[in-house]
Amino acid sequence: MAATLIDDHLRFRLDDVDPAVTAVVLQCERAVPGPREFTRDGAGWCLDLPVPSLQRIEYRFAVGRGDAVDIVLDPANPLTVRTAFGDRSVVELPGYVPPWWLSAPAVPGRLDPHTLTGETTHEVPVTVWIPQDLPDTEPAPLLLVHDGPEYDQLASITTYSAALIATGVLPPHRVALAAPVIRDAWYSGSPQYLRTIAATGLDGLGERYAVRGPVVVAGASLGGLTAVLLGLLAAPRVGGVYSQSGSFFQVRHDLDESGYPFFGRISRLVQSVLDMRETEHPLVVGMSCGAIEENMANNRDMAAALRRAGHTVELTEVADLHNYTAWRDALDPGLTHVLRTVWGETD
């Protein structure tokens, strides 16, 4: 069976009496406290992990046979999840509930592919999700999502929109799913990328569709950083930002990331935002981050700085980590609050 909850710990087992197996190691996010190495017992291999303050754990096993290591899912656990880095086994702890909107009625939609051009050396591919009954000429709000295709495949963001439109929580709106062609370069504060989206990108979408009201931009990790930077650059055309587990790197918190090629640029841009003391165009900003995630400290600093400068900010600390399921589960009420505030409530 899958990992077993026993008092204050989770017991992982790999029932494998193969004498060639020399080691078994739990692979999960390093923010999860506790040991990783299994010990052999009569029935195979066993690991007791203190129960973390999480509702879910995504994991795999690294199974060593001499110099060879096989990375495998837990053969005793049928519950798996797709991630940006392949499938993972999942333990759902007591109290975890998937979002209600995954099984709610949803309006049908269609997908419309585009490319945006500007200062970037490559065009920016964008696929726009549109409610089936919404004509292109009818004014409607626009949500622009960085890493849009993965957000849709792994966090079901158009399903979220379709369900919240169907239930009357949100007005009919379009969702622009922006794809990262050169992700690290674009989503690390590239001025060419930010200007492309803020100017000709939004212009192009506005020419193709009737856009009503301020745009809201969203993203996670580096995309969360990019959403904030784009919101600050393009306000008041952009009126709201939703950033999940934003990579707001600072030297004092994130020296582990200092080898990342764009660390210097990101940390300088982040510091410039932290130093802001006022704004001409206040944004509505929603943020979510795992409470024990490594990005939590820099997200708290960013939320405080944006608030201090005059933006409306709500940071939600969630019982999960840096993954698309965590970001999916936080869309409502986090993103919902931003959209209803910027676009107007429907009831």
Side-chain angles (χ1 to χ4, degrees):
M1 58 182 172
T4 306
L5 182 61
I6 304 174
D7 297 328
D8 61 350
H9 63 272
L10 277 169
R11 176 162 294 170
F12 293 88
R13 293 198 59 84
L14 179 63
D15 291 329
D16 186 352
V17 294
D18 180 358
V21 174
T22 55
V24 179
V25 175
L26 180 71
Q27 286 195 339
C28 62
E29 284 208 34
R30 60 184 179 181
V32 177
R36 298 291 190 268
E37 295 185 4
F38 286 58
T39 57
R40 184 185 281 279
D41 64 18
W45 297 81
C46 179
L47 170 68
D48 285 343
L49 186 78
V51 176
S53 53
L54 299 170
Q55 290 192 325
R56 306 169 56 259
I57 302 176
E58 300 179 0
Y59 68 98
R60 297 183 300 182
F61 296 155
V63 180
R65 293 177 174 84
D67 293 333
V69 177
D70 294 322
I71 308 300
V72 301
L73 299 178
D74 184 345
N77 184 358
L79 186 60
T80 63
V81 63
R82 288 180 61 202
T83 80
F85 304 102
D87 290 352
R88 298 289 187 273
S89 296
V90 182
V91 174
E92 294 178 352
L93 295 166
Y96 174 74
V97 179
W100 64 271
W101 50 263
L102 282 174
S103 56
V107 300
R110 58 188 174 89
L111 296 173
D112 197 1
H114 297 279
T115 54
L116 306 180
T117 58
E119 298 183 38
T120 54
T121 55
H122 297 74
E123 294 179 329
V124 182
V126 174
T127 300
V128 180
W129 177 87
I130 307 162
Q132 193 71 52
D133 295 334
L134 180 65
D136 294 347
T137 54
E138 182 174 331
L142 177 67
L143 169 64
L144 187 147
V145 184
H146 289 98
D147 287 312
E150 281 194 343
Y151 247 108
D152 204 25
Q153 295 163 13
L154 304 178
S156 305
I157 196 161
T158 62
T159 301
Y160 158 85
S161 285
L164 272 71
I165 292 169
T167 52
V169 177
L170 293 176
H173 59 274
R174 302 179 183 93
V175 183
L177 305 169
V181 177
I182 314 173
R183 187 176 190 271
D184 284 357
W186 282 1
Y187 288 7
S188 57
S190 162
Q192 293 81 10
Y193 178 79
L194 293 169
R195 288 194 298 263
T196 293
I197 300 300
T200 57
L202 292 181
D203 285 345
L205 291 170
E207 291 166 3
R208 179 66 179 83
Y209 308 101
V211 177
R212 174 174 65 81
V215 175
V216 174
V217 295
S221 192
L222 288 172
L225 164 74
T226 304
V228 168
L229 296 175
L230 179 58
L232 294 172
L233 176 65
R237 191 172 192 178
V238 169
V241 170
Y242 191 57
S243 171
Q244 301 193 273
S245 300
S247 298
F248 304 116
F249 295 155
Q250 300 176 60
V251 172
R252 71 189 187 109
H253 292 315
D254 303 292
L255 276 179
D256 287 351
E257 305 287 351
S258 60
Y260 177 60
F262 298 99
F263 181 86
R265 179 165 74 184
I266 292 174
S267 61
R268 288 191 297 272
L269 286 167
V270 167
Q271 190 60 52
S272 70
V273 178
L274 298 180
D275 290 341
M276 290 191 313
R277 290 298 181 268
E278 59 183 1
T279 180
E280 294 182 11
H281 304 293
L283 296 165
V284 178
V285 180
M287 301 171 66
S288 76
C289 192
I292 65 170
E293 188 181 333
E294 293 174 345
N295 275 356
M296 190 68 252
N298 58 45
N299 272 254
R300 288 176 182 146
D301 286 353
M302 179 57 67
L306 292 171
R307 211 175 279 123
R308 188 167 55 242
H311 304 283
T312 299
V313 184
E314 185 170 333
L315 169 61
T316 301
E317 301 186 14
V318 301
D320 207 324
L321 293 168
H322 199 89
N323 60 72
Y324 271 103
T325 299
W327 302 331
R328 179 199 72 184
D329 292 355
L331 292 176
D332 185 63
L335 176 58
T336 305
H337 173 73
V338 174
L339 298 180
R340 283 167 65 91
T341 303
V342 174
W343 295 344
E345 299 187 3
T346 59
D347 53 19

